[in-house]
Amino acid sequence: MEIITIGDGLITFDPKSKGPLRFVNQFERKIGGAELNVILGCARLGLKAGWISRLGKDEFGKHILNTVRGEGIDVSEVKLMEGYSTSLNFKEVQESGAGKTFYYRKGSPTETLTPELLPEDYIRQAQVLHVTGVFSAIDDRNSAVILKALKVAKENNVKVSFDPNIRLKLWSKEKARKTIMTFLPYVDYLLAGREELELLFETVQDNELIEKLRQFPIEYTVIKDGENGCYLLENDGWSHFPGVKVSKVVDTVGAGDGFDSGFLYGTIRGWSVEKTLQFANAIGAMVVQVHGDNEGLPYLEEVECFMGEREMIER
């Protein structure tokens, strides 16, 4: 396996009309989850991908499992749990395009995945393990699962990719900071937003931020900055890699996950970091042009066409 992840999968209900959620009567069912989006993106690009998770043994859990299996992702470590409901979230979209997310994921079936039940051999045979802060935010006990997974990865020369993906609706700043700081000694690739790094290291001063980041053995630290592209920490400063301008932004949800999948693809394929970040920026730009958490995650040939590296024949 080239890339695996650990995380919750959930059903996302997208409103079919705009305005306060209490006045919305119709929704469209989709699937989502930060880690799930990334692994979907990796699979579509052509990586051999696997997912460790627990879903409810209900109609929603079966739908997610079948969908993910159909994307070519290995689901041998995804279990349907009796007596648990699959996690949900509902989106609210205002006329301005601004939105909110309402989570219903307490008592997630992932709480049945304990450190003792972690499939260590599955982690050992991977090239990269990708995790995010969301899984730990869902339930305090999940942090122990992630920490053990990181230790297994490090002991077996498996690279670790980490996206803080801090969701303050799920946990406090203090708890997020305390937990994530225990993960960073094991991280090889840190893919974060600027605000997330400032929250974690409790500073907005660039020199202090860089100094604190340098205390960890992180190979690549990348700041994702939306349409502006991204920044790579190198030689005690930030190198900028411009984003790709698009004519219309439809939905920004999932763009960061798409960036992560592009970064992981290029890294696993042994590309230069410059080519990898340009590729990741392109995928982020493609994702924001499509509604949905993961519907805009592209196949490799689509990215190549978008970047002008392959000719697109439309008719």
Side-chain angles (χ1 to χ4, degrees):
M1 206 71 65
E2 292 174 305
I3 174 80
I4 63 171
T5 192
I6 304 171
D8 194 17
L10 64 159
I11 294 291
T12 295
F13 285 101
D14 289 2
K16 299 195 78 171
S17 59
K18 295 180 179 180
L21 204 60
R22 60 185 176 274
F23 300 121
V24 176
N25 298 312
Q26 292 182 307
F27 297 85
E28 186 176 7
R29 182 197 65 184
K30 297 185 178 184
I31 71 170
E35 302 89 358
L36 177 52
N37 291 341
V38 172
I39 211 70
L40 275 171
C42 289
R44 288 183 189 167
L45 291 171
L47 292 176
K48 294 177 181 177
W51 183 37
I52 300 171
S53 189
R54 299 291 185 267
L55 302 167
K57 196 171 186 179
D58 53 20
E59 291 302 305
F60 288 152
K62 293 172 185 174
H63 170 65
I64 294 173
L65 182 63
N66 291 339
T67 302
V68 173
R69 182 190 290 120
E71 292 278 355
I73 295 168
D74 181 80
V75 293
S76 59
E77 291 299 336
V78 180
K79 314 294 183 188
L80 298 177
M81 307 308 296
E82 197 80 56
Y84 282 86
S85 298
T86 299
S87 300
L88 310 174
N89 78 11
F90 288 80
K91 291 182 184 176
E92 176 183 279
V93 180
Q94 300 295 337
E95 292 294 338
S96 65
K100 299 178 183 176
T101 300
F102 299 86
Y103 296 104
Y104 297 85
R105 56 201 310 184
K106 291 295 182 184
S108 163
T110 57
E111 71 181 29
T112 63
L113 179 60
T114 64
E116 296 73 30
L117 295 176
L118 196 67
E120 295 185 28
D121 287 342
Y122 195 73
I123 297 171
R124 290 189 187 101
Q125 50 79 46
Q127 286 182 234
V128 179
L129 168 67
H130 176 77
V131 294
T132 84
V134 176
F135 188 66
S136 295
I138 297 168
D139 190 293
D140 290 345
R141 292 167 290 189
N142 288 352
S143 299
V145 175
I146 295 298
L147 197 55
K148 182 172 182 180
L150 297 181
K151 290 177 179 178
V152 171
K154 189 58 69 174
E155 290 165 1
N156 292 276
N157 298 314
V158 177
K159 294 289 188 179
V160 171
S161 166
F162 180 69
D163 186 335
N165 233 316
I166 296 173
R167 301 282 185 265
L168 294 178
K169 282 195 171 184
L170 296 176
W171 57 355
S172 67
K173 291 180 181 179
E174 294 72 25
K175 187 172 286 187
R177 183 184 302 116
K178 182 179 178 181
T179 302
I180 291 173
M181 294 304 281
T182 67
F183 297 161
L184 292 184
Y186 302 94
V187 172
D188 297 290
Y189 314 137
L190 177 59
L191 310 172
R194 173 82 188 200
E195 290 183 359
E196 290 176 324
L197 294 182
E198 291 174 352
L199 184 157
L200 290 174
F201 294 105
E202 300 181 270
T203 181
V204 297
Q205 300 300 318
D206 207 52
N207 60 333
E208 292 181 11
L209 193 60
I210 292 172
E211 184 180 342
K212 292 185 177 185
L213 280 165
R214 289 297 190 195
Q215 296 173 8
F216 298 94
I218 300 170
E219 187 176 344
Y220 294 124
T221 297
V222 179
I223 290 179
K224 297 180 283 184
D225 194 25
E227 65 180 8
N228 295 319
C230 65
Y231 296 83
L232 173 70
L233 179 59
E234 53 182 359
N235 300 322
D236 296 321
W238 299 103
S239 297
H240 181 226
F241 295 81
V244 181
K245 302 297 181 185
V246 299
S247 57
K248 185 177 181 180
V249 175
V250 174
D251 186 352
T252 60
V253 175
D257 299 328
F259 180 98
D260 290 358
S261 66
F263 177 87
L264 292 166
Y265 180 85
T267 303
I268 289 171
R269 290 288 179 259
W271 292 356
S272 69
V273 68
E274 293 80 9
K275 180 179 178 180
T276 296
L277 292 174
Q278 290 165 356
F279 183 77
N281 279 337
I283 292 178
M286 295 177 76
V287 171
V288 301
Q289 298 181 75
V290 181
H291 280 291
D293 289 20
N294 45 59
E295 282 77 0
L297 293 168
Y299 291 90
L300 180 60
E301 58 269 25
E302 293 173 330
V303 189
E304 291 171 342
C305 289
F306 183 75
M307 297 180 73
E309 297 173 358
R310 177 194 289 250
E311 183 181 1
M312 180 182 290
I313 301 175
E314 296 183 346
R315 61 176 66 191

PDB file of all heavy atoms in Angstrom, residues 110-138:
ATOM      1  N   THR A 110     -16.202   5.074  15.550  1.00  0.00           N
ATOM      2  CA  THR A 110     -14.742   4.994  15.622  1.00  0.00           C
ATOM      3  C   THR A 110     -14.248   4.830  17.057  1.00  0.00           C
ATOM      4  O   THR A 110     -13.089   4.467  17.263  1.00  0.00           O
ATOM      5  CB  THR A 110     -14.083   6.239  15.004  1.00  0.00           C
ATOM      6  OG1 THR A 110     -14.562   7.414  15.671  1.00  0.00           O
ATOM      7  CG2 THR A 110     -14.391   6.336  13.522  1.00  0.00           C
ATOM      8  N   GLU A 111     -15.122   5.081  18.058  1.00  0.00           N
ATOM      9  CA  GLU A 111     -14.673   4.909  19.440  1.00  0.00           C
ATOM     10  C   GLU A 111     -14.399   3.439  19.766  1.00  0.00           C
ATOM     11  O   GLU A 111     -13.759   3.133  20.770  1.00  0.00           O
ATOM     12  CB  GLU A 111     -15.704   5.486  20.417  1.00  0.00           C
ATOM     13  CG  GLU A 111     -17.002   4.706  20.534  1.00  0.00           C
ATOM     14  CD  GLU A 111     -17.981   5.356  21.490  1.00  0.00           C
ATOM     15  OE1 GLU A 111     -17.945   6.595  21.631  1.00  0.00           O
ATOM     16  OE2 GLU A 111     -18.798   4.639  22.100  1.00  0.00           O
ATOM     17  N   THR A 112     -14.839   2.538  18.909  1.00  0.00           N
ATOM     18  CA  THR A 112     -14.571   1.111  19.116  1.00  0.00           C
ATOM     19  C   THR A 112     -13.181   0.716  18.608  1.00  0.00           C
ATOM     20  O   THR A 112     -12.739  -0.408  18.838  1.00  0.00           O
ATOM     21  CB  THR A 112     -15.622   0.241  18.409  1.00  0.00           C
ATOM     22  OG1 THR A 112     -15.549   0.467  16.991  1.00  0.00           O
ATOM     23  CG2 THR A 112     -17.031   0.575  18.889  1.00  0.00           C
ATOM     24  N   LEU A 113     -12.503   1.651  17.916  1.00  0.00           N
ATOM     25  CA  LEU A 113     -11.142   1.389  17.441  1.00  0.00           C
ATOM     26  C   LEU A 113     -10.164   1.814  18.528  1.00  0.00           C
ATOM     27  O   LEU A 113      -9.838   2.989  18.661  1.00  0.00           O
ATOM     28  CB  LEU A 113     -10.872   2.150  16.141  1.00  0.00           C
ATOM     29  CG  LEU A 113      -9.465   1.996  15.536  1.00  0.00           C
ATOM     30  CD1 LEU A 113      -9.168   0.548  15.203  1.00  0.00           C
ATOM     31  CD2 LEU A 113      -9.320   2.889  14.309  1.00  0.00           C
ATOM     32  N   THR A 114      -9.716   0.885  19.317  1.00  0.00           N
ATOM     33  CA  THR A 114      -8.806   1.170  20.428  1.00  0.00           C
ATOM     34  C   THR A 114      -7.358   0.948  19.988  1.00  0.00           C
ATOM     35  O   THR A 114      -7.102   0.290  18.966  1.00  0.00           O
ATOM     36  CB  THR A 114      -9.122   0.247  21.614  1.00  0.00           C
ATOM     37  OG1 THR A 114      -8.872  -1.112  21.214  1.00  0.00           O
ATOM     38  CG2 THR A 114     -10.577   0.395  22.056  1.00  0.00           C
ATOM     39  N   PRO A 115      -6.396   1.445  20.765  1.00  0.00           N
ATOM     40  CA  PRO A 115      -4.980   1.206  20.421  1.00  0.00           C
ATOM     41  C   PRO A 115      -4.652  -0.281  20.301  1.00  0.00           C
ATOM     42  O   PRO A 115      -3.843  -0.674  19.453  1.00  0.00           O
ATOM     43  CB  PRO A 115      -4.225   1.852  21.590  1.00  0.00           C
ATOM     44  CG  PRO A 115      -5.140   2.924  22.071  1.00  0.00           C
ATOM     45  CD  PRO A 115      -6.527   2.366  21.910  1.00  0.00           C
ATOM     46  N   GLU A 116      -5.298  -1.099  21.122  1.00  0.00           N
ATOM     47  CA  GLU A 116      -5.032  -2.546  21.094  1.00  0.00           C
ATOM     48  C   GLU A 116      -5.531  -3.190  19.804  1.00  0.00           C
ATOM     49  O   GLU A 116      -5.009  -4.225  19.373  1.00  0.00           O
ATOM     50  CB  GLU A 116      -5.712  -3.222  22.292  1.00  0.00           C
ATOM     51  CG  GLU A 116      -5.181  -2.802  23.653  1.00  0.00           C
ATOM     52  CD  GLU A 116      -5.610  -1.400  24.061  1.00  0.00           C
ATOM     53  OE1 GLU A 116      -6.716  -0.968  23.644  1.00  0.00           O
ATOM     54  OE2 GLU A 116      -4.836  -0.745  24.791  1.00  0.00           O
ATOM     55  N   LEU A 117      -6.547  -2.592  19.186  1.00  0.00           N
ATOM     56  CA  LEU A 117      -7.130  -3.154  17.968  1.00  0.00           C
ATOM     57  C   LEU A 117      -6.539  -2.547  16.694  1.00  0.00           C
ATOM     58  O   LEU A 117      -6.950  -2.902  15.591  1.00  0.00           O
ATOM     59  CB  LEU A 117      -8.656  -2.948  17.971  1.00  0.00           C
ATOM     60  CG  LEU A 117      -9.432  -3.693  19.065  1.00  0.00           C
ATOM     61  CD1 LEU A 117     -10.911  -3.321  19.011  1.00  0.00           C
ATOM     62  CD2 LEU A 117      -9.271  -5.208  18.900  1.00  0.00           C
ATOM     63  N   LEU A 118      -5.589  -1.649  16.864  1.00  0.00           N
ATOM     64  CA  LEU A 118      -4.987  -1.003  15.696  1.00  0.00           C
ATOM     65  C   LEU A 118      -4.235  -2.040  14.855  1.00  0.00           C
ATOM     66  O   LEU A 118      -3.412  -2.793  15.381  1.00  0.00           O
ATOM     67  CB  LEU A 118      -4.023   0.081  16.162  1.00  0.00           C
ATOM     68  CG  LEU A 118      -3.576   1.102  15.120  1.00  0.00           C
ATOM     69  CD1 LEU A 118      -4.746   1.973  14.671  1.00  0.00           C
ATOM     70  CD2 LEU A 118      -2.466   1.980  15.693  1.00  0.00           C
ATOM     71  N   PRO A 119      -4.503  -2.117  13.553  1.00  0.00           N
ATOM     72  CA  PRO A 119      -3.820  -3.106  12.690  1.00  0.00           C
ATOM     73  C   PRO A 119      -2.386  -2.679  12.372  1.00  0.00           C
ATOM     74  O   PRO A 119      -2.124  -2.052  11.349  1.00  0.00           O
ATOM     75  CB  PRO A 119      -4.703  -3.132  11.438  1.00  0.00           C
ATOM     76  CG  PRO A 119      -5.300  -1.761  11.374  1.00  0.00           C
ATOM     77  CD  PRO A 119      -5.495  -1.323  12.804  1.00  0.00           C
ATOM     78  N   GLU A 120      -1.471  -3.036  13.248  1.00  0.00           N
ATOM     79  CA  GLU A 120      -0.090  -2.572  13.123  1.00  0.00           C
ATOM     80  C   GLU A 120       0.577  -3.054  11.833  1.00  0.00           C
ATOM     81  O   GLU A 120       1.331  -2.313  11.194  1.00  0.00           O
ATOM     82  CB  GLU A 120       0.720  -3.013  14.343  1.00  0.00           C
ATOM     83  CG  GLU A 120       0.251  -2.358  15.642  1.00  0.00           C
ATOM     84  CD  GLU A 120       1.132  -2.713  16.829  1.00  0.00           C
ATOM     85  OE1 GLU A 120       2.336  -2.980  16.608  1.00  0.00           O
ATOM     86  OE2 GLU A 120       0.621  -2.749  17.955  1.00  0.00           O
ATOM     87  N   ASP A 121       0.312  -4.300  11.440  1.00  0.00           N
ATOM     88  CA  ASP A 121       0.917  -4.820  10.209  1.00  0.00           C
ATOM     89  C   ASP A 121       0.451  -4.027   8.985  1.00  0.00           C
ATOM     90  O   ASP A 121       1.208  -3.858   8.025  1.00  0.00           O
ATOM     91  CB  ASP A 121       0.576  -6.302  10.029  1.00  0.00           C
ATOM     92  CG  ASP A 121       1.346  -7.185  10.993  1.00  0.00           C
ATOM     93  OD1 ASP A 121       2.360  -6.704  11.547  1.00  0.00           O
ATOM     94  OD2 ASP A 121       0.934  -8.340  11.206  1.00  0.00           O
ATOM     95  N   TYR A 122      -0.782  -3.558   9.026  1.00  0.00           N
ATOM     96  CA  TYR A 122      -1.342  -2.775   7.923  1.00  0.00           C
ATOM     97  C   TYR A 122      -0.580  -1.451   7.792  1.00  0.00           C
ATOM     98  O   TYR A 122      -0.316  -0.976   6.680  1.00  0.00           O
ATOM     99  CB  TYR A 122      -2.823  -2.515   8.191  1.00  0.00           C
ATOM    100  CG  TYR A 122      -3.622  -2.037   7.002  1.00  0.00           C
ATOM    101  CD1 TYR A 122      -3.944  -2.911   5.959  1.00  0.00           C
ATOM    102  CD2 TYR A 122      -4.088  -0.723   6.914  1.00  0.00           C
ATOM    103  CE1 TYR A 122      -4.694  -2.480   4.879  1.00  0.00           C
ATOM    104  CE2 TYR A 122      -4.837  -0.286   5.842  1.00  0.00           C
ATOM    105  CZ  TYR A 122      -5.129  -1.177   4.819  1.00  0.00           C
ATOM    106  OH  TYR A 122      -5.876  -0.755   3.746  1.00  0.00           O
ATOM    107  N   ILE A 123      -0.229  -0.859   8.927  1.00  0.00           N
ATOM    108  CA  ILE A 123       0.530   0.393   8.920  1.00  0.00           C
ATOM    109  C   ILE A 123       1.963   0.154   8.459  1.00  0.00           C
ATOM    110  O   ILE A 123       2.515   0.927   7.672  1.00  0.00           O
ATOM    111  CB  ILE A 123       0.513   1.034  10.323  1.00  0.00           C
ATOM    112  CG1 ILE A 123      -0.930   1.406  10.715  1.00  0.00           C
ATOM    113  CG2 ILE A 123       1.413   2.266  10.375  1.00  0.00           C
ATOM    114  CD1 ILE A 123      -1.086   1.848  12.155  1.00  0.00           C
ATOM    115  N   ARG A 124       2.562  -0.930   8.913  1.00  0.00           N
ATOM    116  CA  ARG A 124       3.971  -1.224   8.587  1.00  0.00           C
ATOM    117  C   ARG A 124       4.220  -1.353   7.091  1.00  0.00           C
ATOM    118  O   ARG A 124       5.297  -1.015   6.601  1.00  0.00           O
ATOM    119  CB  ARG A 124       4.406  -2.522   9.273  1.00  0.00           C
ATOM    120  CG  ARG A 124       4.531  -2.427  10.778  1.00  0.00           C
ATOM    121  CD  ARG A 124       5.162  -3.684  11.351  1.00  0.00           C
ATOM    122  NE  ARG A 124       5.142  -3.672  12.811  1.00  0.00           N
ATOM    123  CZ  ARG A 124       4.268  -4.333  13.559  1.00  0.00           C
ATOM    124  NH1 ARG A 124       3.352  -5.094  12.990  1.00  0.00           N
ATOM    125  NH2 ARG A 124       4.321  -4.254  14.874  1.00  0.00           N
ATOM    126  N   GLN A 125       3.233  -1.872   6.347  1.00  0.00           N
ATOM    127  CA  GLN A 125       3.462  -2.133   4.924  1.00  0.00           C
ATOM    128  C   GLN A 125       3.177  -0.914   4.034  1.00  0.00           C
ATOM    129  O   GLN A 125       3.321  -0.977   2.817  1.00  0.00           O
ATOM    130  CB  GLN A 125       2.619  -3.339   4.463  1.00  0.00           C
ATOM    131  CG  GLN A 125       1.131  -3.283   4.835  1.00  0.00           C
ATOM    132  CD  GLN A 125       0.299  -2.409   3.938  1.00  0.00           C
ATOM    133  OE1 GLN A 125       0.427  -2.484   2.730  1.00  0.00           O
ATOM    134  NE2 GLN A 125      -0.548  -1.576   4.524  1.00  0.00           N
ATOM    135  N   ALA A 126       2.796   0.208   4.645  1.00  0.00           N
ATOM    136  CA  ALA A 126       2.507   1.415   3.872  1.00  0.00           C
ATOM    137  C   ALA A 126       3.762   2.255   3.657  1.00  0.00           C
ATOM    138  O   ALA A 126       4.737   2.142   4.407  1.00  0.00           O
ATOM    139  CB  ALA A 126       1.450   2.248   4.579  1.00  0.00           C
ATOM    140  N   GLN A 127       3.735   3.088   2.633  1.00  0.00           N
ATOM    141  CA  GLN A 127       4.815   4.060   2.441  1.00  0.00           C
ATOM    142  C   GLN A 127       4.562   5.318   3.258  1.00  0.00           C
ATOM    143  O   GLN A 127       5.486   5.899   3.822  1.00  0.00           O
ATOM    144  CB  GLN A 127       4.937   4.435   0.959  1.00  0.00           C
ATOM    145  CG  GLN A 127       5.562   3.361   0.088  1.00  0.00           C
ATOM    146  CD  GLN A 127       5.684   3.817  -1.356  1.00  0.00           C
ATOM    147  OE1 GLN A 127       5.218   3.150  -2.280  1.00  0.00           O
ATOM    148  NE2 GLN A 127       6.317   4.946  -1.584  1.00  0.00           N
ATOM    149  N   VAL A 128       3.294   5.741   3.304  1.00  0.00           N
ATOM    150  CA  VAL A 128       2.932   6.964   4.019  1.00  0.00           C
ATOM    151  C   VAL A 128       1.656   6.734   4.816  1.00  0.00           C
ATOM    152  O   VAL A 128       0.711   6.102   4.330  1.00  0.00           O
ATOM    153  CB  VAL A 128       2.717   8.160   3.052  1.00  0.00           C
ATOM    154  CG1 VAL A 128       2.312   9.416   3.830  1.00  0.00           C
ATOM    155  CG2 VAL A 128       3.967   8.435   2.234  1.00  0.00           C
ATOM    156  N   LEU A 129       1.627   7.253   6.040  1.00  0.00           N
ATOM    157  CA  LEU A 129       0.427   7.296   6.875  1.00  0.00           C
ATOM    158  C   LEU A 129      -0.008   8.749   6.968  1.00  0.00           C
ATOM    159  O   LEU A 129       0.771   9.609   7.393  1.00  0.00           O
ATOM    160  CB  LEU A 129       0.713   6.746   8.272  1.00  0.00           C
ATOM    161  CG  LEU A 129      -0.366   6.985   9.342  1.00  0.00           C
ATOM    162  CD1 LEU A 129      -1.632   6.196   9.020  1.00  0.00           C
ATOM    163  CD2 LEU A 129       0.155   6.633  10.733  1.00  0.00           C
ATOM    164  N   HIS A 130      -1.245   9.040   6.568  1.00  0.00           N
ATOM    165  CA  HIS A 130      -1.775  10.403   6.650  1.00  0.00           C
ATOM    166  C   HIS A 130      -2.841  10.474   7.739  1.00  0.00           C
ATOM    167  O   HIS A 130      -3.786   9.671   7.739  1.00  0.00           O
ATOM    168  CB  HIS A 130      -2.392  10.829   5.311  1.00  0.00           C
ATOM    169  CG  HIS A 130      -3.038  12.189   5.368  1.00  0.00           C
ATOM    170  ND1 HIS A 130      -2.298  13.352   5.338  1.00  0.00           N
ATOM    171  CD2 HIS A 130      -4.343  12.565   5.491  1.00  0.00           C
ATOM    172  CE1 HIS A 130      -3.130  14.392   5.412  1.00  0.00           C
ATOM    173  NE2 HIS A 130      -4.361  13.939   5.510  1.00  0.00           N
ATOM    174  N   VAL A 131      -2.683  11.417   8.653  1.00  0.00           N
ATOM    175  CA  VAL A 131      -3.672  11.613   9.711  1.00  0.00           C
ATOM    176  C   VAL A 131      -3.966  13.104   9.859  1.00  0.00           C
ATOM    177  O   VAL A 131      -3.217  13.954   9.382  1.00  0.00           O
ATOM    178  CB  VAL A 131      -3.203  11.033  11.069  1.00  0.00           C
ATOM    179  CG1 VAL A 131      -3.100   9.522  11.001  1.00  0.00           C
ATOM    180  CG2 VAL A 131      -1.863  11.628  11.492  1.00  0.00           C
ATOM    181  N   THR A 132      -5.097  13.409  10.536  1.00  0.00           N
ATOM    182  CA  THR A 132      -5.467  14.800  10.781  1.00  0.00           C
ATOM    183  C   THR A 132      -5.893  14.959  12.236  1.00  0.00           C
ATOM    184  O   THR A 132      -6.051  13.984  12.968  1.00  0.00           O
ATOM    185  CB  THR A 132      -6.626  15.265   9.874  1.00  0.00           C
ATOM    186  OG1 THR A 132      -7.881  14.892  10.462  1.00  0.00           O
ATOM    187  CG2 THR A 132      -6.517  14.691   8.463  1.00  0.00           C
ATOM    188  N   GLY A 133      -6.108  16.216  12.619  1.00  0.00           N
ATOM    189  CA  GLY A 133      -6.555  16.486  13.973  1.00  0.00           C
ATOM    190  C   GLY A 133      -8.015  16.174  14.204  1.00  0.00           C
ATOM    191  O   GLY A 133      -8.463  16.074  15.352  1.00  0.00           O
ATOM    192  N   VAL A 134      -8.790  15.998  13.124  1.00  0.00           N
ATOM    193  CA  VAL A 134     -10.225  15.782  13.278  1.00  0.00           C
ATOM    194  C   VAL A 134     -10.531  14.507  14.053  1.00  0.00           C
ATOM    195  O   VAL A 134     -11.402  14.487  14.925  1.00  0.00           O
ATOM    196  CB  VAL A 134     -10.920  15.738  11.890  1.00  0.00           C
ATOM    197  CG1 VAL A 134     -12.403  15.405  12.042  1.00  0.00           C
ATOM    198  CG2 VAL A 134     -10.756  17.065  11.175  1.00  0.00           C
ATOM    199  N   PHE A 135      -9.821  13.431  13.759  1.00  0.00           N
ATOM    200  CA  PHE A 135     -10.104  12.152  14.398  1.00  0.00           C
ATOM    201  C   PHE A 135      -9.950  12.248  15.917  1.00  0.00           C
ATOM    202  O   PHE A 135     -10.777  11.743  16.674  1.00  0.00           O
ATOM    203  CB  PHE A 135      -9.178  11.070  13.832  1.00  0.00           C
ATOM    204  CG  PHE A 135      -9.516   9.670  14.283  1.00  0.00           C
ATOM    205  CD1 PHE A 135     -10.695   9.077  13.902  1.00  0.00           C
ATOM    206  CD2 PHE A 135      -8.639   8.958  15.079  1.00  0.00           C
ATOM    207  CE1 PHE A 135     -11.014   7.781  14.305  1.00  0.00           C
ATOM    208  CE2 PHE A 135      -8.935   7.666  15.493  1.00  0.00           C
ATOM    209  CZ  PHE A 135     -10.132   7.078  15.104  1.00  0.00           C
ATOM    210  N   SER A 136      -8.924  12.940  16.369  1.00  0.00           N
ATOM    211  CA  SER A 136      -8.712  13.109  17.811  1.00  0.00           C
ATOM    212  C   SER A 136      -9.753  14.030  18.426  1.00  0.00           C
ATOM    213  O   SER A 136     -10.090  13.900  19.611  1.00  0.00           O
ATOM    214  CB  SER A 136      -7.310  13.665  18.077  1.00  0.00           C
ATOM    215  OG  SER A 136      -6.325  12.731  17.692  1.00  0.00           O
ATOM    216  N   ALA A 137     -10.264  14.981  17.639  1.00  0.00           N
ATOM    217  CA  ALA A 137     -11.252  15.923  18.155  1.00  0.00           C
ATOM    218  C   ALA A 137     -12.604  15.271  18.411  1.00  0.00           C
ATOM    219  O   ALA A 137     -13.369  15.719  19.268  1.00  0.00           O
ATOM    220  CB  ALA A 137     -11.416  17.078  17.167  1.00  0.00           C
ATOM    221  N   ILE A 138     -12.908  14.212  17.683  1.00  0.00           N
ATOM    222  CA  ILE A 138     -14.209  13.554  17.812  1.00  0.00           C
ATOM    223  C   ILE A 138     -14.386  12.929  19.188  1.00  0.00           C
ATOM    224  O   ILE A 138     -15.447  13.001  19.804  1.00  0.00           O
ATOM    225  CB  ILE A 138     -14.378  12.476  16.719  1.00  0.00           C
ATOM    226  CG1 ILE A 138     -14.356  13.120  15.337  1.00  0.00           C
ATOM    227  CG2 ILE A 138     -15.683  11.698  16.909  1.00  0.00           C
ATOM    228  CD1 ILE A 138     -14.218  12.119  14.216  1.00  0.00           C
TER     229      ILE A 138
END
